[in-house]
Structures are given as structure tokens and as C-alpha cells.
Amino acid sequence: MSDDVKEIFSPGSAPVAPPAPAALAAKVRTLAPSMTRSMQRVAEAVANDPAACAALTVTGLAELTGTSEATVVRTARVLGYPGYRDLRLALAGLAAHQLSGRAPSVTADIAVDDPLPDVVAKLAYDEQQTLADTAAGLDMGQLGAAVAALAGARRIDVYGVGASGLVAQDLTQKLLRIGLIAQAHSDPHLAVTNAVQLRAKDVAVAITHSGSTGDVIEPLRVAFDHGATTVAITGRPDGPVSQYADHVLTTSTARESELRPAAMSSRTSQLLVVDCLFVGVAQRTYESAAPALSASYEALAHRHRIGGPSR
């Protein structure tokens, strides 16, 4: 084994807890776009045929993918495993899941001439896979820290544009209904001018699938510089937004197609993370959250009656 491979295998920087086998496919889908082309070949190989790759040595997988042993081990580490041996164990576990009757990880893309029943079935499968991948890949330590910060915040700003802006509004609405002071900002100028006012007891949340949306990163950076606790909800944990995030919550994304771009598929996983944050905060602040939620329901109840508001 070459010296560089031995160095990569050294235990000094190994992750404490490698991802569970069920999270492997999600990690590949999330991280592959940011890998080098050679690392992508390794990642795609282990995701497409975990059983076959689990039977290969590090040299065998390097030969199969036309890469080097060092590239194989680096890919394993990027995916969260201390070394190739740990990745092989995860591959064997993933293969066992698939042999036990689990649905395949890849389905056909939606075609222009697909009948509506097929469109519904494909979308439903992709949504389910995206949710499962996001849940499997969520870092519970990061999630818990973000929940604690939101629960104790004096003020919460949420930044998002486009489809992520809709998710930002959803998070804000939920937090408002349990009595927290929260604002969603889709206008980048207003976002920055509000971020300037944030301080140590405040929280700023940035929602960006790409992790590189400038209109979202700028206000988060300003909030970070002013001492606020910052949270990023992103599909690219290695993206620029993470430089200014105290806590990073990674989302998964269903496969893109011509009729379903990333902005649409990312929303499902973002909404799951938002719901996890909300429920976690509501649990921590239950004594104040429960009455606030009841009051909001009561205040709106008359609007849901037949005939509209009573007079």
C-alpha cells in the first residue's frame, strides 16, 4: 500500500461515528456533485452495485473505476467512513437491505409522454426516497444544537429566495404560531439590513439547496459577523454557505429531470428539516408553545366555519 493511502488510513482524523448503511446512498447523491470526477466514479460504483463492490479490495475497486487506491480511500472518508474497510461493511449492509425486498434506489425519469398514473407513481417514489435519505443523513447533534438555539432566541431571521423562500416562510409561520419572534426575508436588501441588527441572543437561518446562493449567503455572513447563531439548511454541506454557519443541516434531493429541476425536488427535504426544527422547538418550549398554538387555532377558528367570519 502506498504512503499516501497509509496516511489517509491513519486514525488521527477519522470520524467518530460513520454513517449507517441506509445513509450511504443518500450521502452519495448529496456529495457526488462536489467531488472530483475520479471520486465520482468511485461513489457512483458503490451506490449502483453495493453487493459487487463490497466483495472488492481497495485495489480491486480502484481498478474497476480506473482510479487509484488513494482516491478510493479519500472517497470513503468524504462519505463519512474512517477507511475503506468501514465502507465495505456499509456496502454489505446496503446490499442486504436491497436483497430483503427494498425498492430499488433508482427509477426511470419522468418522460414528456408519461401517462398521469405513471407520473404520480414516479413522483411519489422520489418524494419517499428523498425524505428517507434526508432523515438518514441528518446529523442529530447539529439538529439538536439548532433546536436549542431557536428555542432560546430573542429574534429569528430566516433567509431564502425562490423555492427556498417558500420554505423560509413556512418555518417562520410555524415559529410565530408558538410565540417566537421570527421573520422571513426573500428581498436581499431587507435581509441584509435586518441582519445588521442581530446580536448574540439572535438566530439567523439560511435555506439554500445549492449552498451558493449569494442573496442568502450575504445576510447570513452579516448575521454571523454580528454574533448571531447561524444555521444553514442546504443540500451542499461543503458549499460557501457553510463558512458562515454554526450549524449545518444537510438535505437530500431527488434525481433531477427536465420536468423536475433541483429547486422542486429540494423543497420536500427542506420542509422535512423545517418540521423537525419546529417540533423540536415546540417540545423544548412546551409550556409556552402549547398555549400559544391553541390561541392561534382559536383566533382563526371562525374563518374555517361555513359562511365565513361571524358578525
Side-chain angles (χ1 to χ4, degrees), residues 10 17 126 155 237 308:
S10 64
D126 277 350
R155 168 180 158 185

Side-chain angles (χ1 to χ4, degrees), residues 29-30 40 46 50 54 67 72 110 132 158 185 195 200 237 249 261 265 272 306:
R29 277 189 286 271
T30 299
Q40 285 178 353
V46 300
T67 60
V72 171
I110 297 172
V158 188
H185 301 285
L249 303 176
S265 59
L272 172 61
I306 296 175

Side-chain angles (χ1 to χ4, degrees), residues 162-164 209 253 256 260-268 270:
S164 294
H209 167 65
T253 307
E256 291 187 58
R260 195 171 189 242
M264 291 175 61
S265 59
S266 64
R267 188 179 64 245
T268 300
Q270 289 173 344

Side-chain angles (χ1 to χ4, degrees), residues 218-237:
E218 186 179 5
L220 191 73
R221 177 188 61 78
V222 172
F224 181 83
D225 290 343
H226 282 75
T229 299
T230 51
V231 179
I233 300 174
T234 180
R236 300 288 180 265

Side-chain angles (χ1 to χ4, degrees), residues 38 45 61 71 81 90 95 114 122 132 148 173 187 215-217 261 304 307:
S38 58
L61 184 55
T71 297
Y81 300 92
D114 273 348
K122 289 179 179 181
Q173 175 196 224
D187 183 300
D215 287 343
V216 172
I217 294 174
H304 298 293

Side-chain angles (χ1 to χ4, degrees), residues 15-170:
V16 174
L24 177 57
K27 296 283 279 187
V28 170
R29 277 189 286 271
T30 299
L31 298 176
S34 62
M35 294 178 178
T36 63
R37 186 65 196 106
S38 58
M39 291 175 70
Q40 285 178 353
R41 290 201 296 272
V42 176
E44 289 166 0
V46 300
N48 291 336
D49 196 347
C53 291
L56 296 175
T57 63
V58 64
T59 303
L61 184 55
E63 292 175 352
L64 175 69
T65 56
T67 60
S68 66
E69 293 180 7
T71 297
V72 171
V73 180
R74 289 193 183 99
T75 305
R77 291 182 66 84
V78 168
L79 292 174
Y81 300 92
Y84 182 60
R85 181 176 61 181
D86 303 272
L87 176 60
R88 286 182 72 181
L89 291 174
L91 290 174
L94 182 58
H97 275 294
Q98 293 177 343
L99 287 174
S100 67
R102 185 183 177 188
S105 59
V106 177
T107 57
D109 287 335
I110 297 172
V112 174
D113 57 353
D114 273 348
L116 277 177
D118 287 357
V119 171
V120 171
K122 289 179 179 181
L123 283 175
Y125 177 80
D126 277 350
E127 297 280 354
Q128 292 168 5
Q129 188 68 55
T130 299
L131 292 173
D133 287 351
T134 299
L138 264 181
D139 185 315
M140 292 299 108
Q142 294 286 299
L143 179 62
V147 165
L150 289 170
R154 178 186 70 95
R155 168 180 158 185
I156 300 162
D157 276 14
V158 188
Y159 315 125
V161 296
S164 294
L166 300 176
V167 179
Q169 292 178 28
D170 183 71

